[in-house]
Each structure stands twice: as structure tokens, then as C-alpha cells.
Amino acid sequence: LSFLDLSDVDFKGARLNDANLLGANLSGANLARADLRNAKLDRADVARANFKGANLSGASLYDVVGSLSLDTPAANAPNFEGADLSGA
């Protein structure tokens, strides 16, 4: 799944543990309650992505792009509400 355009795809509750999402475009994707344990999300675009309640424990999030600068509207930020980021 690395470097694929997965923008706006509905992955709600999907099992993506150990997935290689290196450089993938996940902007606007719904990953609510998805299992992303130990997944590789390095350099992925996560602007507007919904990770609410997702399990990202042990995931690699090096250099993710999330539009988190002060010049960018808050609506473009990814949602990590209730996500498990332990060890990420």
C-alpha cells in the first residue's frame, strides 16, 4: 500500500496491522477504530484523516504530513481523538 492514493477511502474498523503505508496519501481517509498496530506510516499524508479510536500502538509515524502549521486551518488537521499512540 506504499505510495498509493488512498485519499477519502473508508477503512473504518479495518485490520491494517503491520501494513506498509509509506508515503501513502491518506488525506480525508476514515481510519476510525482501525487496527494499525506496528504499521509504517512514514511520510504519509494524513491531512483530514480520521484516526478516532484507532490502535496505532507501535506504529511508525516518521515525517508524516498533516497540515499542522499555524497557517493551515484546523479543519485540515488529522483527528487522533481516543487513538492509542503508545510506543508510536
Side-chain angles (χ1 to χ4, degrees):
L1 300 173
S2 61
F3 297 104
L4 291 181
D5 182 359
L6 303 171
S7 56
D8 299 313
V9 173
D10 188 0
F11 287 112
K12 185 176 181 179
R15 291 184 188 173
L16 295 167
N17 53 304
D18 298 311
N20 183 359
L21 294 160
L22 170 71
N25 180 359
L26 296 169
S27 60
N30 183 11
L31 293 141
R33 297 189 314 274
D35 180 359
L36 290 156
R37 287 174 292 146
N38 303 311
K40 185 174 188 174
L41 288 97
D42 300 338
R43 299 193 172 129
D45 182 348
V46 296
R48 299 181 331 279
N50 180 16
F51 292 97
K52 186 175 182 176
N55 185 350
L56 290 149
S57 60
S60 179
L61 300 163
Y62 177 75
D63 203 24
V64 294
V65 179
S67 300
L68 297 175
S69 74
L70 295 174
D71 300 330
T72 307
N76 286 340
N79 179 5
F80 288 101
E81 181 183 346
D84 181 355
L85 292 162
S86 59

